[in-house]
Every structure is written in structure tokens, then in C-alpha cells.
Amino acid sequence: MEKYISVKELEDAALVLLPKNARDYYKSGATEEYTLAENRRAFQRLRIRPKCLVGLAACDLSTTIFGEKVSMPLGISPTAMQRMAHPDGETANVRAAQTEGVIYTLSTISTSSIEEVAEAAPNAIKWFQLYIYNDREVTRKLVLRAEQAGFKAIALTVDTPVFGIRRADIRNKFTLPNHLKLANFDGHLSTKIHSTGDGSGLNNYVNNLFDKSLTWGEIKWLKSITKLPIVVKGILRGDDAVRAIEAGCDGILVSNHGARQLDGVPSTIEALPEIVEAVKNYNVEVFLDGGVTTGTDVYKALALGAKMVFVGRPAIWGLTVGGEAGVQRMLSIFRKELEYTFQIAGTPTIEDITKDMVRHESAYSR
Ligand code: FNR
């Protein structure tokens, strides 16, 4: 894996290896993919302002999230159906996270079950991403299984009343390969995704089975069935962040679902400051994902107030290229880039990174 020295190189290699159905599913954004490009471009519009001769102390990337120490402020976001990328799928991904000491988030619609993932990496810090099904008993069982298997938080995805329009999946009539199933379920919930018909099999699954009538009131129900911290995933507005906190959530994951839901929404790094400002008087963690591909991206998000940052696709690319070793390579590339950034910027620990470390490019063009 040593020949790969950037996340971009892993991505390029993965895109060659993946069959079309899976490749298009993993890489696509919603409709025109404007926000998909903006997730990357918005990072590029920010400049880092290094401090010189700070008498550099030892570099420390570690931080603590809900009482758990992580080795760096970067974790893995939930992405569905990882066995399309590699036969070991989620179990390889979580093992890499365990080795690297970072958080791994398992999707509800995974191709390895909650229990398989827990067994593969008993010491990894695992979060469970939850979609709320129309059938609350199905949903309740998922949460209890995650809790029993030692998962440390529930990431409740709130940006998906219906699935976004991803044109390639419609054209491909996306369907999970027949040898795979949604491993957290039995019966039709595990295989309904195979049903072809019009358009994407995944959209048909989600739009039929997930509850689109959800309101913030549902958090109360979720809190009544679990003691785990709840991270609300998919927030793009300050007022929604406050609603989430008032409903009892413990963390806010600023996310646009990898630009796969609604095209034209802000990039996540653009949305972050509004949310950090809105929640400043609350005791809550703010996280971000979307378009993060370098250590300097992570750094910029930390400077603008994120406690930690997550990546979705980069883990898929690593997984495709080298299974567990590929994901580990992806994480170690980020770690190295982050260490260099922390040191050259003159901020050797997370506490040293203040808002003034980053400035928008427009400030330099006056
Ligand atoms: C996702 N995402 C996602 N989110 C979620 O809550 N549940 C899920 O099952 C999935 N599945 C999924 C599949 C694929 C292929 C992608 C690319 C994304 C969104 C994901 O958690 C995360 O928000 C984005 O991937 C972050 O953007 P980047 O890092 O991919 O740019």
C-alpha cells in the first residue's frame, strides 16, 4: 500500500477496480452534482495562516469524544453496503479503525451485521448509524443490538425523508449483487433491495420502508430506548442544531450526506460556522463530514469549530484497493498530513487551533 501517498491516488485506483454498478453508487452525488464539487472547492477557498517560531512542542493529534480517547480528530462516516467494495466489507473497515484508534460508524444498511462488526473489532470505538423504519419494532431492535454489542453512540441520520436523486443509480437500476444482503435484517428487509423494477433498487427500498413523517419529537422516543449519546447527522442550519439539542441530542454532525441528498445545499465547511455559532452556549460536540480528502481539510474544519471530522468515500476507496490494509493506508495518509499541518502551522495540539488560523480567500483579494 506504500505506493499510495494521497487519498486522491487511492480514489483513482479504486475507480478503476470497481464494477460500474458499485462505482457509480459510491461516487455519485445528487442530480447535477454541484454541491458534490462544492464540498471540495469550499475547502480550497480557505487559507491557513501559520504562526512561526512558536517553540514547537511535541505534536499531539489525540482528542476525547464522549469520554473515549481517539488517536486523531478523524473518524469514518457510515457508508452503506461495503462488501461491494471488498469481500470483507465493513469488517475490514472497522479493523483498520481499531488499529488506527479512530471511530468507525456502521450504517444501518450494511452488508455485515452489527454483531459481525463487533466481533471483528471488539476494541474499536464503534458508532451505529440509524435510519428509522416505519416499523418501530424493527428500529428498536437495531438500537438494542448496537447497545448490546458495545457500540458507543447512535448517529441518527435526519437528512433522508426520501432518498436523493442519483442519476447514475437510476440509469444502472442499482441493485445489491445477489450474493450480498442487508445483514442487519432477515427476510424481505434484507433482500427487498434486490428487487428491480423502475430506477434504483435502493431508492425503492428506502422510500418504501423508512419513516418520512419523522419530527424532532422522535428523539424523545429514541432516548426512551437507549442511554447511548445521540449524534444527529445531516444538520445544515443553526436553528436545526438548536432544535436537536433541545430535543436531547448530544452531538451535531454537520453533513450533506456526501452531497447525495439535495443538490444546491451548502458545502459542509460553509455551513459549519453558522452551526458552531448557534450552539456556542450549549454543551454539545459539533462534527463535520463531506469532501474531506486531505489533512489540511481536517485542520480547516477544526479551526472553524469542529471537534472532529469524518470521511465517507475515502474509506471506500481504501477498502476497494486493499481491504483492511487499504483503509489503514488511507488513515495513515491523513495522520501524516495532519501531523505536518499541525507542526508547520505552529499549533501542535488541537487546543492550539483557533479560529484565526484560517481565513477565507476573499480576504486576500482586496
Ligand atoms: C453515504 N452516506 C450515508 N449516510 C448515512 O447516514 N447512512 C448511510 O447508509 C450512508 N451511505 C452512504 C453510502 C455512500 C456510498 C456514500 C458516499 C455516502 C453519507 C456518509 O455518511 C457521509 O455523510 C458522506 O460520505 C461524507 O462525504 P464524503 O466523505 O464521502 O465526501
Side-chain angles (χ1 to χ4, degrees):
M1 289 296 118
E2 282 68 32
K3 71 174 181 174
Y4 301 103
I5 55 167
S6 69
V7 171
K8 174 80 170 68
E9 286 167 35
L10 286 170
E11 172 177 356
D12 290 344
L15 292 178
V16 172
L17 290 168
L18 286 164
K20 184 172 170 49
N21 182 59
R23 181 177 63 232
D24 286 353
Y25 168 67
Y26 289 142
K27 78 178 172 72
S28 292
T31 55
E32 300 287 314
E33 301 190 335
Y34 178 77
T35 299
L36 183 65
E38 278 295 297
N39 268 358
R40 296 274 318 106
R41 280 199 296 252
F43 276 111
Q44 292 160 2
R45 292 194 291 262
L46 296 171
R47 308 282 183 255
I48 298 172
R49 305 169 62 233
K51 293 199 264 196
C52 300
L53 302 188
V54 295
L56 209 58
C59 181
D60 181 8
L61 302 180
S62 69
T63 186
T64 302
I65 310 288
F66 300 137
E68 302 286 332
K69 183 157 181 182
V70 293
S71 71
M72 62 174 162
L74 180 86
I76 300 179
S77 265
T79 54
M81 300 177 282
Q82 295 176 2
R83 284 185 200 258
M84 292 195 305
H86 187 274
D88 298 337
E90 293 82 359
T91 60
N93 213 335
V94 74
R95 272 197 292 266
Q98 175 172 266
T99 308
E100 292 289 324
V102 302
I103 295 172
Y104 174 79
T105 315
L106 177 69
S107 169
T108 288
I109 45 178
S110 52
T111 42
S112 316
S113 69
I114 291 169
E115 292 75 16
E116 283 173 304
V117 165
E119 201 188 331
N123 298 322
I125 307 163
K126 298 172 286 291
W127 290 7
F128 182 70
Q129 177 269 324
L130 183 68
Y131 282 126
I132 297 190
Y133 282 65
N134 289 318
D135 185 337
R136 286 298 187 281
E137 194 46 26
V138 165
T139 316
R140 194 180 69 85
K141 280 191 186 136
L142 287 172
V143 173
L144 295 191
R145 282 167 61 194
E147 201 170 309
Q148 257 162 27
F151 284 59
K152 301 288 185 200
I154 300 292
L156 175 68
T157 301
V158 293
D159 59 11
T160 314
V162 293
F163 244 42
I165 298 171
R166 301 159 201 168
R167 290 178 180 152
D169 292 346
I170 298 172
R171 272 187 219 107
N172 294 343
K173 295 189 188 306
F174 173 84
T175 176
L176 187 63
N178 271 327
H179 68 284
L180 298 175
K181 61 172 206 150
L182 299 186
N184 285 323
F185 307 98
D186 293 321
H188 79 292
L189 288 180
S190 68
T191 54
K192 203 172 164 60
I193 202 161
H194 293 141
S195 59
T196 42
D198 272 355
S200 155
L202 183 59
N203 278 48
N204 296 341
Y205 181 94
V206 168
N207 295 344
N208 284 322
L209 296 171
F210 292 2
D211 189 347
K212 45 171 99 42
S213 71
L214 295 177
T215 66
W216 289 109
E218 217 58 30
I219 306 289
K220 200 169 167 198
W221 171 76
L222 191 54
K223 284 176 77 72
S224 77
I225 61 165
T226 183
K227 294 276 166 287
L228 292 176
I230 298 169
V231 176
V232 70
K233 175 174 183 287
I235 297 291
L236 290 172
R237 303 170 53 116
D239 54 2
D240 264 356
V242 171
R243 276 185 201 105
I245 297 166
E246 287 176 349
C249 297
D250 307 278
I252 307 287
L253 175 40
V254 178
S255 174
N256 55 26
H257 211 114
R260 291 157 75 80
Q261 281 299 96
L262 189 59
D263 206 14
V265 302
S267 70
T268 50
I269 194 69
E270 283 175 328
L272 179 66
E274 172 185 336
I275 290 152
V276 169
E277 175 63 23
V279 307
K280 66 175 185 232
N281 295 324
Y282 297 93
N283 178 22
V284 71
E285 312 276 24
V286 178
F287 311 112
L288 170 141
D289 74 17
V292 174
T293 57
T294 64
T296 52
D297 294 342
V298 177
Y299 187 90
K300 289 169 183 177
L302 298 179
L304 294 184
K307 173 94 187 200
M308 205 177 79
V309 169
F310 289 83
V311 289
R313 293 183 186 84
I316 301 273
W317 309 144
L319 186 62
T320 305
V321 171
E324 179 184 346
V327 180
Q328 223 187 307
R329 183 70 187 159
M330 178 279 289
L331 291 168
S332 64
I333 290 169
F334 269 111
R335 186 185 304 284
K336 184 167 197 175
E337 290 181 355
L338 262 179
E339 274 166 2
Y340 273 74
T341 310
F342 272 45
Q343 294 181 90
I344 299 173
T347 53
T349 73
I350 291 183
E351 288 68 45
D352 299 323
I353 306 172
T354 45
K355 205 169 148 189
D356 62 297
M357 294 309 298
V358 160
R359 201 174 267 173
H360 191 265
E361 65 172 11
S362 58
Y364 292 94
S365 55
R366 281 194 219 114

